[in-house]
């Protein structure tokens, strides 16, 4: 307020193109100087925790966006709208095909087949990695019945498309070739298993999330162990006593008494003394 009181009345001046140009130059210079003052940054790796926070932020943003959307009046989809939509799709397909030029067909080589299969495997792996966690649902008897019906229907339809075949007798030569193929398959499988899997460990990254889960599992196991121990504490398992068990128990008790009291050692000493005395009597 005091600053404004000391300021006198001024004469307003119109904003000329020259003043606009100077103002824009000042803004550009300020932007350049601001970027020059920024130093070099250290890139940080994207951890699973950062990915989780990012997804949570996107979900929260989506929820807030939907909350800010006002109420709308739904309109029914009429047959006329369906017809227009189909016409638009057909027109788009026709225009897309018209823009395509003539192509030269190329033969499919074994290398192209191999690349195609590799791409399918990679797509399958990437697709499975992008899947989130699902909620398991119990398999009810109704679902089992529907599944069996579907299998029966599929089997019937498959058999309807099959043509009639000519049965061939199974000769001893065919049996021998079949057994040889099974043996060869077993040997090749065992060799590949020993070369690729046996003796090799699977390496897993030790992330903070995995360490947290491992610690939680340890705590849960400890709590479960103590809970089971408290339940079984003071209880015993009855065992039926038969004559064989009694005999074994008595023999073990005799062995324990002999080892504890040193009876066996004394018997050996007495036997040695008796032999020495017999030797003296013979020489005397």
């Amino acid at each position: 307020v005091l600053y404004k009181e000391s300021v006198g009345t001024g004469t307003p001046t119109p904003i000329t193109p020259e003043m606009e140009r100077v103002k824009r130059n000042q803004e550009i210079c300020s932007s350049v100087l601001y970027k020059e003052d920024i130093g070099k940054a250290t890139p940080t790796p994207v951890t699973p925790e950062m990915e989780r926070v990012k997804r949570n932020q996107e979900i929260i943003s989506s929820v807030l966006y939907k909350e800010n959307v006002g109420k709308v009046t739904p309109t029914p989809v009429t047959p006329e709208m369906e017809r227009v939509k189909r016409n638009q799709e057909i027109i788009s397909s026709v225009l897309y095909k018209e823009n395509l030029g003539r192509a030269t067909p190329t033969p499919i080589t074994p290398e192209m087949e191999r690349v195609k299969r590799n791409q399918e495997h990679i797509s399958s792996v990437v697709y499975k990695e992008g899947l989130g966690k699902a909620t398991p649902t119990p398999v009810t008897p109704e679902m089992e019945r529907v599944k069996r019906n579907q299998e029966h229907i599929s089997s019937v339809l498959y058999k309807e498309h099959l043509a009639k075949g000519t049965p061939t007798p199974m000769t001893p030569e065919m049996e021998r070739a079949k057994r040889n193929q099974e043996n060869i398959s077993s040997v090749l499988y065992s060799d590949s298993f020993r070369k690729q899997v046996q003796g090799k460990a699977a390496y897993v990254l030790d992330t903070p999330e995995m360490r947290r889960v491992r610690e939680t599992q340890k705590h849960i196991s400890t709590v479960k162990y103590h809970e089971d121990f408290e339940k079984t504490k003071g209880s015993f398992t009855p065992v039926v006593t038969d004559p064989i068990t009694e005999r074994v128990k008595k023999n073990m008790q005799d062995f324990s008494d002999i080892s504890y009291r040193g009876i066996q050692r004394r018997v050996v000493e007495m036997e040695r003394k008796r032999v020495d005395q017999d030797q003296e009597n013979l020489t005397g």
Side-chain angles (χ1 to χ4, degrees):
V1 174
L2 295 175
Y3 171 75
K4 292 182 180 180
E5 287 180 356
S6 61
V7 176
T9 57
T11 303
T13 57
I15 298 175
T16 61
E18 183 65 18
M19 294 173 67
E20 289 286 344
R21 186 181 63 79
V22 172
K23 184 178 179 181
R24 282 197 301 273
N25 291 338
Q26 288 294 330
E27 292 175 353
I28 295 170
C29 293
S30 299
S31 176
V32 172
L33 293 175
Y34 172 75
K35 292 181 180 179
E36 288 179 353
D37 293 334
I38 296 176
K40 295 182 180 179
T42 304
T44 57
V46 180
T47 61
E49 183 67 17
M50 295 173 65
E51 290 285 344
R52 184 181 64 80
V53 172
K54 184 179 178 181
R55 284 197 300 273
N56 291 340
Q57 289 294 332
E58 292 176 355
I59 295 170
I60 294 170
S61 301
S62 176
V63 172
L64 295 176
Y65 172 75
K66 291 180 180 178
E67 288 180 354
N68 295 329
V69 176
K71 296 182 179 180
V72 296
T73 304
T75 58
V77 179
T78 61
E80 182 65 18
M81 294 172 67
E82 289 285 344
R83 185 182 63 80
V84 173
K85 184 178 179 182
R86 283 197 300 271
N87 290 340
Q88 288 293 330
E89 293 175 354
I90 294 170
I91 293 170
S92 299
S93 176
V94 171
L95 293 177
Y96 173 74
K97 292 180 179 179
E98 286 179 355
N99 293 329
L100 292 176
R102 295 183 179 179
T104 303
T106 58
I108 298 176
T109 61
E111 182 67 17
M112 294 172 67
E113 289 286 343
R114 185 183 64 79
V115 172
K116 185 178 179 181
R117 284 197 301 272
N118 291 340
Q119 288 295 329
E120 291 175 354
H121 295 328
I122 294 170
S123 299
S124 177
V125 172
V126 172
Y127 171 75
K128 291 180 180 179
E129 289 179 352
L131 292 177
K133 296 182 179 179
T135 304
T137 57
V139 180
T140 60
E142 182 67 17
M143 294 171 67
E144 289 286 343
R145 184 182 64 79
V146 173
K147 184 179 179 181
R148 284 196 301 272
N149 291 341
Q150 289 293 331
E151 291 176 355
H152 295 328
I153 293 170
S154 300
S155 177
V156 171
L157 293 176
Y158 172 74
K159 292 180 180 178
E160 286 179 355
H161 294 298
L162 291 177
K164 293 182 179 180
T166 303
T168 58
M170 185 68 70
T171 61
E173 184 66 19
M174 294 173 66
E175 288 284 346
R176 186 183 63 78
K178 184 178 178 182
R179 284 196 302 272
N180 290 340
Q181 287 296 328
E182 292 176 354
N183 294 334
I184 292 170
S185 299
S186 177
V187 171
L188 293 177
Y189 173 77
S190 300
D191 290 343
S192 64
F193 175 78
R194 283 193 296 268
K195 291 178 181 178
Q196 298 178 8
V197 180
Q198 191 175 14
K200 294 183 180 180
Y203 297 96
V204 181
L205 295 178
D206 191 9
T207 60
E209 183 68 17
M210 293 182 67
R211 285 197 293 272
R212 184 183 64 79
V213 172
R214 189 164 60 245
E215 290 295 330
T216 304
Q217 288 293 331
K218 288 181 182 178
H219 296 325
I220 294 172
S221 300
T222 305
V223 172
K224 184 66 176 175
Y225 171 76
H226 285 292
E227 183 180 353
D228 295 339
F229 175 76
E230 292 295 332
K231 287 181 180 179
T232 58
K233 186 170 65 175
S235 61
F236 61 92
T237 304
V239 180
V240 179
T241 303
D242 54 355
I244 296 176
T245 305
E246 288 290 340
R247 182 175 61 79
V248 173
K249 184 178 179 181
K250 187 175 182 304
N251 292 337
M252 294 302 295
Q253 186 67 33
D254 294 339
F255 291 151
S256 299
D257 291 342
I258 291 172
S259 299
Y260 176 72
R261 296 176 183 177
I263 295 174
Q264 184 70 25
R265 185 172 62 253
R266 282 185 292 179
V267 170
V268 172
E269 291 178 357
M270 291 173 65
E271 184 67 22
R272 188 170 61 251
K273 289 179 180 180
R274 188 182 62 81
V275 173
D276 293 341
Q277 188 176 1
D278 292 340
Q279 289 290 337
E280 291 178 357
N281 292 333
L282 289 174
T283 54

